[in-house]
Coordinates of all heavy atoms in Angstrom, one line a residue:
V223 N 64.7 30.3 -99.3 CA 65.7 29.7 -100.1 C 65.6 28.2 -100.0 O 65.4 27.6 -98.9 CB 67.1 30.1 -99.6 CG1 68.2 29.5 -100.4 CG2 67.2 31.6 -99.7
G224 N 65.6 27.5 -101.2 CA 65.5 26.0 -101.2 C 66.4 25.4 -102.1 O 67.1 26.1 -102.9
A225 N 66.5 24.1 -102.1 CA 67.3 23.3 -103.0 C 66.5 22.2 -103.6 O 65.7 21.6 -102.9 CB 68.5 22.8 -102.2
L226 N 66.6 22.0 -104.9 CA 65.9 21.0 -105.6 C 66.6 19.6 -105.4 O 67.8 19.5 -105.7 CB 65.8 21.3 -107.0 CG 64.9 20.3 -107.9 CD1 63.5 20.3 -107.4 CD2 65.0 20.8 -109.4
D227 N 65.8 18.7 -104.8 CA 66.3 17.3 -104.6 C 65.8 16.5 -105.7 O 64.6 16.2 -105.8 CB 65.9 16.8 -103.3 CG 66.2 15.3 -103.0 OD1 67.0 14.7 -103.9 OD2 65.8 14.8 -102.0
E228 N 66.6 16.0 -106.7 CA 66.2 15.2 -107.8 C 66.7 13.8 -107.7 O 66.9 13.1 -108.7 CB 66.6 15.8 -109.1 CG 65.9 17.2 -109.3 CD 66.4 17.8 -110.7 OE1 67.6 18.1 -110.7 OE2 65.6 17.9 -111.6
Y229 N 66.9 13.3 -106.4 CA 67.4 11.9 -106.2 C 66.5 11.0 -106.9 O 66.9 10.0 -107.5 CB 67.5 11.7 -104.7 CG 67.9 10.3 -104.3 CD1 69.2 9.8 -104.6 CD2 67.0 9.4 -103.9 CE1 69.6 8.5 -104.2 CE2 67.3 8.1 -103.6 CZ 68.7 7.6 -103.8 OH 69.0 6.4 -103.5
M230 N 65.2 11.1 -106.7 CA 64.2 10.3 -107.4 C 63.5 11.2 -108.5 O 62.7 12.0 -108.2 CB 63.1 9.8 -106.4 CG 63.7 8.9 -105.4 SD 62.5 8.3 -104.2 CE 61.4 7.4 -105.2
P231 N 64.0 11.1 -109.7 CA 63.5 12.0 -110.8 C 62.0 12.0 -111.0 O 61.4 13.0 -111.3 CB 64.2 11.4 -112.0 CG 65.4 10.7 -111.6 CD 65.0 10.2 -110.2
S232 N 61.3 10.9 -110.6 CA 59.9 10.9 -110.8 C 59.2 11.6 -109.6 O 58.0 11.9 -109.7 CB 59.3 9.5 -110.8 OG 59.7 8.8 -109.6
E233 N 59.9 11.9 -108.5 CA 59.4 12.6 -107.4 C 60.3 13.7 -106.9 O 60.8 13.6 -105.8 CB 59.1 11.6 -106.3 CG 58.0 10.6 -106.6 CD 57.8 9.6 -105.4 OE1 57.8 10.0 -104.3 OE2 57.5 8.4 -105.7
P234 N 60.5 14.7 -107.7 CA 61.4 15.8 -107.2 C 60.8 16.5 -106.0 O 59.6 16.6 -105.8 CB 61.5 16.8 -108.4 CG 60.3 16.5 -109.2 CD 59.9 15.0 -109.0
Q235 N 61.7 17.0 -105.1 CA 61.3 17.7 -103.9 C 62.1 19.0 -103.7 O 63.2 19.1 -104.2 CB 61.5 16.8 -102.7 CG 60.7 15.5 -102.6 CD 61.0 14.7 -101.4 OE1 61.5 15.2 -100.4 NE2 60.7 13.5 -101.4
V236 N 61.5 19.9 -103.0 CA 62.3 21.2 -102.6 C 62.6 21.1 -101.2 O 61.7 20.8 -100.4 CB 61.5 22.4 -102.9 CG1 62.2 23.7 -102.4 CG2 61.2 22.5 -104.4
L237 N 63.9 21.1 -100.9 CA 64.3 21.1 -99.4 C 64.5 22.6 -99.0 O 65.1 23.4 -99.6 CB 65.7 20.4 -99.3 CG 65.7 19.0 -99.9 CD1 67.1 18.4 -99.8 CD2 64.7 18.1 -99.2
V238 N 63.8 22.9 -97.9 CA 63.8 24.2 -97.3 C 64.4 24.2 -95.9 O 64.1 23.4 -95.1 CB 62.4 24.8 -97.3 CG1 62.4 26.2 -96.7 CG2 61.7 24.8 -98.6
S239 N 65.3 25.1 -95.7 CA 66.0 25.2 -94.4 C 65.0 25.7 -93.3 O 64.1 26.5 -93.6 CB 67.2 26.1 -94.4 OG 68.2 25.6 -95.3
N240 N 65.1 25.3 -92.1 CA 64.2 25.7 -91.0 C 64.9 26.8 -90.3 O 65.7 26.6 -89.3 CB 63.9 24.5 -90.1 CG 62.9 24.9 -89.0 OD1 62.7 26.1 -88.8 ND2 62.4 24.0 -88.3
Y241 N 64.6 28.0 -90.7 CA 65.3 29.2 -90.0 C 64.5 29.6 -88.8 O 65.0 30.3 -87.9 CB 65.3 30.4 -91.0 CG 66.2 30.2 -92.2 CD1 65.7 29.9 -93.4 CD2 67.6 30.2 -92.0 CE1 66.5 29.7 -94.5 CE2 68.4 29.9 -93.1 CZ 67.8 29.7 -94.3 OH 68.7 29.5 -95.4
L242 N 63.3 29.1 -88.5 CA 62.5 29.5 -87.4 C 63.2 29.0 -86.1 O 63.1 29.6 -85.1 CB 61.1 28.9 -87.4 CG 60.2 29.5 -88.6 CD1 58.9 28.7 -88.6 CD2 60.0 30.9 -88.3
L243 N 63.9 27.9 -86.1 CA 64.5 27.4 -84.9 C 66.0 27.6 -84.9 O 66.7 27.1 -84.1 CB 64.3 25.9 -84.8 CG 62.8 25.4 -84.8 CD1 62.7 23.9 -84.8 CD2 62.1 26.0 -83.5
G244 N 66.5 28.5 -85.7 CA 67.9 28.8 -85.8 C 68.3 29.8 -84.7 O 67.6 30.3 -84.0
P245 N 69.6 30.0 -84.6 CA 70.2 30.9 -83.6 C 69.8 32.3 -83.7 O 70.0 33.1 -82.8 CB 71.7 30.7 -83.8 CG 71.9 30.1 -85.2 CD 70.6 29.4 -85.5
A246 N 69.2 32.8 -84.8 CA 68.8 34.1 -85.0 C 67.7 34.5 -84.0 O 67.4 35.7 -83.7 CB 68.4 34.4 -86.4
N247 N 67.0 33.5 -83.5 CA 65.9 33.7 -82.6 C 66.3 33.6 -81.1 O 65.5 33.5 -80.2 CB 64.7 32.7 -82.8 CG 64.0 33.0 -84.1 OD1 63.9 34.2 -84.5 ND2 63.5 32.0 -84.8
C248 N 67.6 33.6 -80.9 CA 68.2 33.5 -79.6 C 69.0 34.6 -79.2 O 69.6 35.3 -80.1 CB 69.0 32.2 -79.4 SG 68.0 30.7 -79.7
Y249 N 69.1 34.9 -77.9 CA 70.0 36.0 -77.4 C 71.0 35.4 -76.5 O 70.7 34.7 -75.6 CB 69.1 37.0 -76.7 CG 68.0 37.5 -77.5 CD1 66.7 37.0 -77.3 CD2 68.2 38.6 -78.4 CE1 65.6 37.5 -78.1 CE2 67.1 39.1 -79.2 CZ 65.9 38.5 -79.0 OH 64.8 39.0 -79.7
Q250 N 72.2 35.7 -76.8 CA 73.3 35.2 -75.9 C 73.7 36.3 -74.9 O 74.3 37.3 -75.4 CB 74.5 34.7 -76.7 CG 75.6 34.1 -75.8 CD 76.7 33.5 -76.7 OE1 76.6 33.5 -77.9 NE2 77.7 33.0 -76.0
S251 N 73.3 36.2 -73.7 CA 73.5 37.2 -72.7 C 74.9 37.1 -72.1 O 75.5 38.1 -71.7 CB 72.5 37.3 -71.7 OG 72.4 36.1 -71.0
T252 N 75.4 35.9 -72.0 CA 76.7 35.6 -71.5 C 77.3 34.5 -72.2 O 76.7 33.8 -73.0 CB 76.7 35.3 -70.0 OG1 76.2 34.0 -69.8 CG2 75.9 36.3 -69.1
A253 N 78.6 34.2 -71.9 CA 79.2 33.0 -72.6 C 78.6 31.7 -72.2 O 78.7 30.7 -72.8 CB 80.7 33.0 -72.3
L254 N 77.9 31.7 -71.0 CA 77.4 30.5 -70.5 C 75.9 30.4 -70.7 O 75.3 29.3 -70.5 CB 77.7 30.4 -69.0 CG 79.1 30.4 -68.6 CD1 79.3 30.4 -67.1 CD2 79.8 29.2 -69.2
H255 N 75.2 31.5 -71.0 CA 73.7 31.4 -71.1 C 73.2 31.9 -72.4 O 73.7 33.0 -72.9 CB 73.0 32.2 -70.0 CG 73.4 31.8 -68.6 ND1 72.8 30.7 -68.1 CD2 74.3 32.2 -67.7 CE1 73.3 30.5 -66.9 NE2 74.2 31.4 -66.6
T256 N 72.2 31.3 -73.0 CA 71.6 31.7 -74.2 C 70.1 31.6 -74.0 O 69.6 30.6 -73.5 CB 72.0 30.8 -75.4 OG1 73.4 30.9 -75.6 CG2 71.3 31.3 -76.7
F257 N 69.3 32.6 -74.3 CA 67.9 32.7 -74.1 C 67.2 32.7 -75.5 O 67.6 33.5 -76.3 CB 67.5 33.9 -73.3 CG 68.1 33.9 -72.0 CD1 69.3 34.6 -71.7 CD2 67.5 33.2 -70.9 CE1 69.8 34.6 -70.5 CE2 68.1 33.2 -69.6 CZ 69.3 33.9 -69.4
C258 N 66.3 31.8 -75.7 CA 65.7 31.7 -77.0 C 64.2 32.0 -76.9 O 63.6 31.7 -75.9 CB 65.8 30.3 -77.6 SG 67.5 29.9 -77.9
C259 N 63.6 32.6 -77.9 CA 62.2 32.9 -77.9 C 61.4 31.7 -78.1 O 61.8 30.8 -78.9 CB 61.9 33.9 -79.0 SG 62.7 35.5 -78.8
L260 N 60.2 31.6 -77.5 CA 59.3 30.5 -77.7 C 58.8 30.6 -79.1 O 58.5 31.7 -79.6 CB 58.2 30.5 -76.7 CG 58.6 30.1 -75.3 CD1 57.3 30.3 -74.4 CD2 59.1 28.7 -75.2
N261 N 58.6 29.5 -79.7 CA 58.0 29.5 -81.1 C 56.7 28.9 -81.0 O 56.5 27.7 -80.8 CB 59.0 28.6 -82.0 CG 58.6 28.7 -83.4 OD1 57.5 29.1 -83.8 ND2 59.4 28.2 -84.3
E262 N 55.6 29.7 -81.2 CA 54.3 29.3 -81.2 C 54.0 28.2 -82.3 O 53.1 27.4 -82.1 CB 53.3 30.4 -81.4 CG 53.3 31.4 -80.3 CD 52.2 32.5 -80.5 OE1 52.0 32.9 -81.7 OE2 51.7 33.0 -79.5
C263 N 54.8 28.2 -83.3 CA 54.6 27.2 -84.4 C 54.8 25.8 -83.9 O 54.2 24.9 -84.5 CB 55.5 27.5 -85.6 SG 55.2 29.1 -86.4
D264 N 55.7 25.6 -82.9 CA 55.9 24.3 -82.4 C 54.7 23.6 -81.9 O 54.4 22.5 -82.1 CB 57.0 24.3 -81.3 CG 58.4 24.6 -81.8 OD1 58.6 24.4 -83.1 OD2 59.2 25.0 -81.0
A265 N 53.8 24.4 -81.1 CA 52.6 23.8 -80.6 C 51.6 23.5 -81.7 O 50.9 22.5 -81.6 CB 52.0 24.8 -79.6
V266 N 51.5 24.4 -82.7 CA 50.6 24.2 -83.8 C 51.0 23.0 -84.6 O 50.2 22.1 -84.9 CB 50.6 25.4 -84.7 CG1 49.8 25.2 -86.0 CG2 49.9 26.6 -84.0
L267 N 52.3 22.9 -84.9 CA 52.8 21.7 -85.6 C 52.6 20.4 -84.8 O 52.2 19.4 -85.4 CB 54.3 21.9 -85.9 CG 54.9 20.8 -86.7 CD1 54.2 20.6 -88.1 CD2 56.4 21.1 -86.9
G268 N 52.8 20.5 -83.5 CA 52.6 19.3 -82.7 C 51.2 18.8 -82.7 O 50.8 17.6 -82.8
E269 N 50.2 19.8 -82.7 CA 48.8 19.4 -82.7 C 48.4 18.8 -84.1 O 47.7 17.8 -84.2 CB 47.9 20.6 -82.4 CG 46.4 20.3 -82.3 CD 45.6 21.4 -81.8 OE1 46.2 22.4 -81.2 OE2 44.4 21.4 -81.9
V270 N 48.9 19.4 -85.1 CA 48.7 18.9 -86.5 C 49.2 17.5 -86.7 O 48.6 16.6 -87.1 CB 49.2 19.9 -87.6 CG1 49.2 19.2 -89.0 CG2 48.5 21.2 -87.6
E271 N 50.5 17.3 -86.2 CA 51.1 16.0 -86.3 C 50.3 15.0 -85.5 O 50.1 13.8 -86.0 CB 52.5 16.0 -85.9 CG 53.4 16.8 -86.8 CD 54.9 16.9 -86.3 OE1 55.1 16.9 -85.0 OE2 55.8 17.1 -87.1
H272 N 49.8 15.3 -84.4 CA 49.0 14.4 -83.5 C 47.7 14.0 -84.2 O 47.4 12.8 -84.3 CB 48.7 15.1 -82.2 CG 47.9 14.2 -81.3 ND1 48.3 13.1 -80.7 CD2 46.5 14.4 -81.0 CE1 47.3 12.6 -80.0 NE2 46.2 13.3 -80.2
V273 N 47.0 14.9 -84.8 CA 45.7 14.7 -85.4 C 45.9 13.9 -86.7 O 45.3 12.9 -87.0 CB 44.9 15.9 -85.6 CG1 43.7 15.7 -86.5 CG2 44.5 16.6 -84.3
V274 N 46.9 14.4 -87.6 CA 47.1 13.8 -88.9 C 47.7 12.4 -88.7 O 47.3 11.5 -89.5 CB 48.0 14.7 -89.7 CG1 48.4 14.0 -91.0 CG2 47.2 16.0 -90.1
G275 N 48.7 12.2 -87.9 CA 49.3 10.9 -87.7 C 50.1 10.4 -88.8 O 50.2 9.1 -88.9
G276 N 50.5 11.2 -89.7 CA 51.3 10.8 -90.9 C 52.0 11.9 -91.6 O 51.8 13.1 -91.2
P277 N 52.7 11.6 -92.7 CA 53.4 12.7 -93.4 C 52.6 13.6 -94.3 O 53.1 14.6 -94.8 CB 54.4 11.9 -94.2 CG 53.7 10.6 -94.5 CD 52.9 10.3 -93.3
S278 N 51.3 13.3 -94.5 CA 50.5 14.1 -95.3 C 49.0 14.0 -94.9 O 48.6 13.1 -94.2 CB 50.6 13.7 -96.8 OG 50.2 12.4 -97.0
A279 N 48.3 15.0 -95.3 CA 46.8 15.0 -95.0 C 46.1 15.7 -96.1 O 46.6 16.7 -96.7 CB 46.6 15.7 -93.7
A280 N 44.8 15.3 -96.3 CA 44.0 15.9 -97.3 C 43.5 17.3 -96.9 O 43.4 17.5 -95.6 CB 42.8 15.0 -97.6
P281 N 43.2 18.2 -97.8 CA 42.7 19.5 -97.4 C 41.4 19.4 -96.5 O 41.3 20.3 -95.6 CB 42.4 20.2 -98.7 CG 43.3 19.5 -99.7 CD 43.4 18.1 -99.2
D282 N 40.6 18.4 -96.7 CA 39.4 18.3 -95.9 C 39.7 18.0 -94.5 O 38.8 18.1 -93.6 CB 38.3 17.4 -96.5 CG 38.8 16.0 -96.7 OD1 40.0 15.8 -96.7 OD2 38.0 15.1 -96.8
V283 N 40.9 17.5 -94.2 CA 41.3 17.3 -92.8 C 42.1 18.5 -92.2 O 41.8 18.9 -91.1 CB 42.3 16.0 -92.7 CG1 42.9 15.9 -91.4 CG2 41.6 14.8 -93.2
L284 N 42.9 19.1 -93.1 CA 43.7 20.3 -92.6 C 42.9 21.5 -92.4 O 43.1 22.2 -91.4 CB 44.8 20.5 -93.6 CG 46.0 19.5 -93.7 CD1 46.9 19.9 -94.8 CD2 46.7 19.4 -92.3
V285 N 42.0 21.8 -93.3 CA 41.2 23.1 -93.2 C 40.5 23.2 -91.9 O 40.6 24.2 -91.2 CB 40.4 23.3 -94.4 CG1 39.4 24.5 -94.2 CG2 41.2 23.5 -95.7
P286 N 39.6 22.2 -91.5 CA 38.9 22.4 -90.2 C 39.8 22.4 -89.0 O 39.6 23.1 -88.0 CB 37.9 21.2 -90.2 CG 38.1 20.4 -91.4 CD 39.2 21.1 -92.2
L287 N 40.9 21.6 -89.1 CA 41.9 21.5 -88.0 C 42.6 22.8 -87.8 O 42.6 23.4 -86.7 CB 42.9 20.4 -88.3 CG 44.1 20.3 -87.4 CD1 43.6 20.0 -85.9 CD2 45.1 19.3 -87.9
L288 N 43.1 23.4 -88.8 CA 43.8 24.7 -88.7 C 42.9 25.8 -88.4 O 43.3 26.8 -87.9 CB 44.6 24.9 -90.0 CG 45.8 23.9 -90.2 CD1 46.4 24.2 -91.6 CD2 46.8 24.0 -89.1
G289 N 41.6 25.7 -88.9 CA 40.7 26.8 -88.6 C 40.3 26.9 -87.2 O 39.7 28.0 -86.8
K290 N 40.5 25.9 -86.4 CA 40.2 26.0 -84.9 C 41.4 26.1 -84.0 O 41.2 26.3 -82.8 CB 39.2 24.9 -84.5 CG 39.8 23.6 -84.6 CD 38.8 22.5 -84.3 CE 39.4 21.1 -84.4 NZ 38.4 20.1 -84.1
I291 N 42.6 26.1 -84.5 CA 43.8 26.2 -83.7 C 44.0 27.6 -83.3 O 43.9 28.5 -84.2 CB 45.0 25.6 -84.4 CG1 44.9 24.1 -84.5 CG2 46.3 26.0 -83.8 CD1 46.1 23.4 -85.2
M292 N 44.3 27.8 -82.0 CA 44.6 29.2 -81.6 C 46.0 29.2 -80.9 O 46.4 28.2 -80.3 CB 43.6 29.6 -80.5 CG 42.2 29.7 -81.2 SD 41.2 31.1 -80.7 CE 42.1 32.2 -79.7
T293 N 46.6 30.3 -80.9 CA 47.9 30.5 -80.2 C 47.8 31.7 -79.3 O 46.8 32.5 -79.3 CB 49.1 30.7 -81.2 OG1 48.9 32.0 -81.8 CG2 49.2 29.7 -82.2
S294 N 48.8 32.0 -78.4 CA 48.7 33.1 -77.5 C 48.7 34.4 -78.2 O 48.3 35.4 -77.6 CB 49.9 33.0 -76.5 OG 51.1 33.1 -77.2
S295 N 49.1 34.5 -79.4 CA 49.1 35.8 -80.1 C 47.9 36.1 -80.9 O 47.7 37.1 -81.6 CB 50.4 35.9 -81.0 OG 50.2 35.0 -82.1
M296 N 46.9 35.2 -80.8 CA 45.6 35.3 -81.6 C 44.5 35.6 -80.6 O 44.4 35.1 -79.6 CB 45.3 34.0 -82.3 CG 46.4 33.6 -83.4 SD 46.2 31.9 -84.0 CE 44.6 32.0 -84.8
D297 N 43.6 36.5 -81.1 CA 42.4 36.8 -80.3 C 41.3 35.8 -80.6 O 40.4 35.6 -79.7 CB 41.9 38.2 -80.7 CG 42.8 39.3 -80.2 OD1 43.6 39.1 -79.2 OD2 42.9 40.4 -80.8
E298 N 41.3 35.3 -81.8 CA 40.3 34.2 -82.1 C 40.9 33.4 -83.3 O 41.8 33.7 -83.9 CB 39.0 34.9 -82.6 CG 39.2 35.8 -83.8 CD 37.9 36.6 -84.2 OE1 37.2 37.0 -83.2 OE2 37.7 36.8 -85.3
A299 N 40.2 32.2 -83.4 CA 40.6 31.3 -84.5 C 40.4 32.0 -85.9 O 39.5 32.8 -86.0 CB 39.9 30.0 -84.4
H300 N 41.1 31.6 -86.9 CA 41.0 32.2 -88.2 C 40.3 31.3 -89.1 O 40.7 30.1 -89.2 CB 42.3 32.6 -88.8 CG 43.0 33.7 -88.0 ND1 42.6 35.0 -88.1 CD2 44.0 33.7 -87.1 CE1 43.4 35.7 -87.2 NE2 44.3 34.9 -86.7
S301 N 39.3 31.7 -89.9 CA 38.7 30.9 -90.9 C 39.5 31.2 -92.2 O 40.1 32.2 -92.4 CB 37.2 31.2 -91.0 OG 37.0 32.5 -91.4
F302 N 39.3 30.2 -93.2 CA 40.0 30.4 -94.5 C 38.9 30.7 -95.5 O 37.8 30.2 -95.5 CB 40.7 29.0 -94.8 CG 41.8 28.7 -93.9 CD1 41.6 27.7 -92.9 CD2 43.0 29.3 -93.9 CE1 42.5 27.4 -92.0 CE2 44.0 28.9 -93.0 CZ 43.8 28.0 -92.1
S303 N 39.3 31.6 -96.4 CA 38.4 32.0 -97.5 C 38.2 30.8 -98.4 O 39.0 29.9 -98.5 CB 38.9 33.1 -98.3 OG 40.1 32.7 -99.0
N304 N 37.1 30.8 -99.1 CA 36.8 29.7 -100.1 C 37.8 29.7 -101.2 O 38.2 28.6 -101.7 CB 35.4 29.9 -100.7 CG 34.3 29.6 -99.8 OD1 34.5 28.9 -98.8 ND2 33.1 30.2 -100.0
V305 N 38.4 30.9 -101.6 CA 39.4 30.9 -102.6 C 40.7 30.2 -102.1 O 41.3 29.4 -102.9 CB 39.7 32.4 -102.9 CG1 41.0 32.5 -103.8 CG2 38.5 33.1 -103.6
L306 N 41.1 30.4 -100.9 CA 42.2 29.8 -100.3 C 42.0 28.3 -100.2 O 42.9 27.5 -100.6 CB 42.6 30.4 -99.0 CG 43.9 30.0 -98.4 CD1 45.1 30.3 -99.3 CD2 44.1 30.6 -97.0
V307 N 40.9 27.8 -99.7 CA 40.6 26.4 -99.7 C 40.6 25.8 -101.1 O 41.1 24.7 -101.2 CB 39.2 26.2 -99.0 CG1 38.8 24.7 -99.0 CG2 39.3 26.6 -97.5
H308 N 40.0 26.5 -102.1 CA 40.1 26.0 -103.4 C 41.5 25.8 -103.9 O 41.8 24.8 -104.6 CB 39.3 26.9 -104.3 CG 39.2 26.4 -105.8 ND1 38.5 25.3 -106.2 CD2 39.9 26.9 -106.8 CE1 38.8 25.2 -107.5 NE2 39.6 26.1 -107.9
K309 N 42.4 26.8 -103.6 CA 43.8 26.7 -104.1 C 44.5 25.6 -103.4 O 45.2 24.8 -104.1 CB 44.5 28.0 -103.8 CG 44.1 29.2 -104.7 CD 44.9 30.5 -104.3 CE 44.5 31.6 -105.2 NZ 45.3 32.8 -104.9
L310 N 44.2 25.3 -102.1 CA 44.8 24.2 -101.4 C 44.4 22.9 -102.0 O 45.2 22.0 -102.3 CB 44.5 24.3 -99.9 CG 45.1 23.1 -99.1 CD1 46.6 23.2 -99.1 CD2 44.5 23.3 -97.6
S311 N 43.1 22.8 -102.4 CA 42.6 21.6 -103.0 C 43.2 21.4 -104.3 O 43.5 20.2 -104.7 CB 41.0 21.7 -103.1 OG 40.5 21.7 -101.8
A312 N 43.4 22.4 -105.1 CA 44.0 22.3 -106.5 C 45.4 21.8 -106.3 O 45.9 21.0 -107.1 CB 43.9 23.6 -107.2
I313 N 46.2 22.4 -105.4 CA 47.5 21.9 -105.1 C 47.6 20.4 -104.8 O 48.4 19.7 -105.2 CB 48.2 22.8 -104.1 CG1 48.4 24.2 -104.6 CG2 49.5 22.2 -103.6 CD1 48.8 25.2 -103.5
S314 N 46.6 20.0 -103.9 CA 46.5 18.6 -103.5 C 46.3 17.7 -104.7 O 46.9 16.7 -104.9 CB 45.4 18.5 -102.5 OG 45.2 17.2 -102.1
V315 N 45.3 18.1 -105.5 CA 45.0 17.3 -106.7 C 46.2 17.2 -107.7 O 46.6 16.1 -108.2 CB 43.8 17.8 -107.5 CG1 43.6 17.2 -108.8 CG2 42.6 17.6 -106.6
Q316 N 46.9 18.3 -107.9 CA 48.0 18.4 -108.8 C 49.2 17.5 -108.3 O 49.9 17.0 -109.1 CB 48.5 19.9 -108.9 CG 49.6 20.0 -109.9 CD 50.1 21.5 -109.9 OE1 49.6 22.4 -109.2 NE2 51.0 21.8 -110.9
N317 N 49.3 17.4 -107.0 CA 50.4 16.6 -106.4 C 50.0 15.2 -105.9 O 50.7 14.6 -105.1 CB 51.1 17.4 -105.3 CG 51.8 18.6 -105.8 OD1 52.8 18.5 -106.4 ND2 51.2 19.8 -105.7
G318 N 48.8 14.7 -106.3 CA 48.4 13.4 -106.0 C 48.0 13.3 -104.5 O 48.1 12.2 -103.9
G319 N 47.5 14.3 -103.9 CA 46.9 14.2 -102.6 C 47.8 15.0 -101.6 O 47.8 15.1 -100.6

């Protein structure tokens, strides 16, 4: 679910709520304690932000970076198909990088 932000008509954006870090991923066992599940995405996002160092990155930076990132729930790194890389590149070109 998203909302269209047309504050700058020449650069519309879709705002998406972050449900991954919401209370649905937490368990309240008592009135004083809440236990939340670790989110593997935080580590992946942190590594991407560290390498990219800015608000955007070209596909030729993201694809090799994401292709070698591993998490505790993965047996091995995942490679991306040529079709998926081509789609990402097309989206990048359509949106000016």
